[in-house]
Amino acid sequence: AQKVTQAQTEISVVEKEDVTLDCVYETRDTTYYLFWYKQPPSGELVFLIRRNSFDEQNEISGRYSWNFQKSTSSFNFTITASQVVDSAVYFCALSGFLLTFGGGTRLMVKP
Amino acid sequence: EAQVTQNPRYLITVTGKKLTVTCSQNMNHEYMSWYRQDPGLGLRQIYYSMNVEVTDKGDVPEGYKVSRKEKRNFPLILESPSPNQTSLYFCASSPVPGLAGGAETQYFGPGTRLLVL
């Protein structure tokens, strides 16, 4: 069975601080995909990134970066110079065939 | 505009009164799915459908039914809702997982917030 653990249920930072959201996963599949979604206070789910299990290159998109380490089964997400608009719940998810979500991390960025 | 729509967005009902939440997508996706979101539990899959007339149970199917008579629509049916089905529900769609080398990105509807009294 697949499992995704986001140990940080809630994080609070002050604007402009860097913050890392942790994601640890378990799977027996050799081929799988990892995702991050953002859920702002308005409630919709916004796709951020998808990464396959064969691509361990880190990725950067503006202030967002992702660190995939297969050796530790982790796919961590860092926001650099956080802004109030980054306040949201962030979900990590794992897909071999079905999509399994972690419990989410609520990020609060204070001005 | 490519999108997944759900109706209604908010619903308050009473125990035992049958209800249907509709889901429709305009991206010609084969795969559709329903999730429920509860605090601390993330999203859990209720049912999914690989194509028309093909549906299967997810992790938490008890108390729910689905049907897939058309490619674009995937309604969620609660025959006899109970208070423990109070939740935020999301519909999602994507091309079929497993093709082109792996899982496809799922696109989510705006959510339906259900309260069962």
Side-chain angles (χ1 to χ4, degrees):
Chain A
Q2 300 182 152
K3 185 178 178 182
V4 177
T5 302
Q6 295 179 255
Q8 306 148 308
T9 54
E10 204 166 288
I11 301 175
S12 182
V13 299
V14 176
E15 210 171 18
K16 298 184 184 173
E17 282 186 32
D18 298 348
V19 58
T20 296
L21 309 183
D22 297 333
C23 173
V24 174
Y25 63 91
E26 297 174 28
T27 181
R28 293 181 182 175
D29 293 336
T30 54
T31 301
Y32 52 89
Y33 279 74
L34 293 160
F35 300 81
W36 276 95
Y37 284 87
K38 174 182 180 180
Q39 185 177 46
S42 51
E44 73 272 23
L45 283 162
V46 179
F47 165 75
L48 295 177
I49 190 172
R50 168 186 143 193
R51 174 54 55 84
N52 76 52
S53 53
F54 296 108
D55 182 2
E56 289 194 66
Q57 271 194 323
N58 290 335
E59 180 153 342
I60 298 174
S61 177
R63 296 184 297 106
Y64 295 172
S65 62
W66 290 270
N67 183 340
F68 176 30
Q69 292 198 327
K70 211 167 177 178
S71 59
T72 57
S73 297
S74 65
F75 187 44
N76 296 337
F77 172 31
T78 297
I79 302 174
T80 303
S82 59
Q83 299 176 1
V84 172
V85 293
D86 295 327
S87 297
V89 179
Y90 291 86
F91 291 100
C92 179
L94 165 68
S95 181
F97 184 76
L98 300 181
L99 195 59
T100 300
F101 283 83
T105 296
R106 181 178 299 277
L107 174 64
M108 292 178 289
V109 182
K110 299 177 182 176
Chain B
E1 180 191 352
Q3 60 181 352
V4 179
T5 57
Q6 295 178 227
N7 282 292
R9 295 288 312 279
Y10 305 91
L11 181 59
I12 301 174
T13 189
V14 295
T15 299
K17 186 176 181 183
K18 181 179 178 180
L19 67 91
T20 299
V21 183
T22 65
C23 173
S24 184
Q25 51 95 5
N26 63 1
M27 295 169 278
N28 202 36
H29 286 162
E30 293 83 6
Y31 182 89
M32 296 186 75
S33 182
W34 277 103
Y35 298 85
R36 59 177 289 173
Q37 181 183 354
D38 302 290
L41 298 177
L43 280 79
R44 293 177 293 167
Q45 192 168 46
I46 302 171
Y47 269 95
Y48 64 95
S49 170
M50 297 290 285
N51 214 325
V52 175
E53 302 291 0
V54 181
T55 64
D56 209 345
K57 297 177 180 178
D59 295 322
V60 288
E62 294 76 20
Y64 304 95
K65 283 176 57 176
V66 293
S67 70
R68 187 90 181 274
K69 293 183 169 55
E70 304 167 282
K71 197 173 187 180
R72 63 182 291 128
N73 296 325
F74 189 44
L76 179 69
I77 303 156
L78 284 72
E79 296 264 359
S80 182
S82 62
N84 65 12
Q85 293 178 297
T86 292
S87 187
L88 176 58
Y89 291 86
F90 286 99
C91 180
S93 76
S94 75
V96 176
L99 296 180
E104 299 290 338
T105 301
Q106 291 189 27
Y107 294 92
F108 287 81
T112 294
R113 197 169 290 277
L114 172 65
L115 172 61
V116 182
L117 301 173

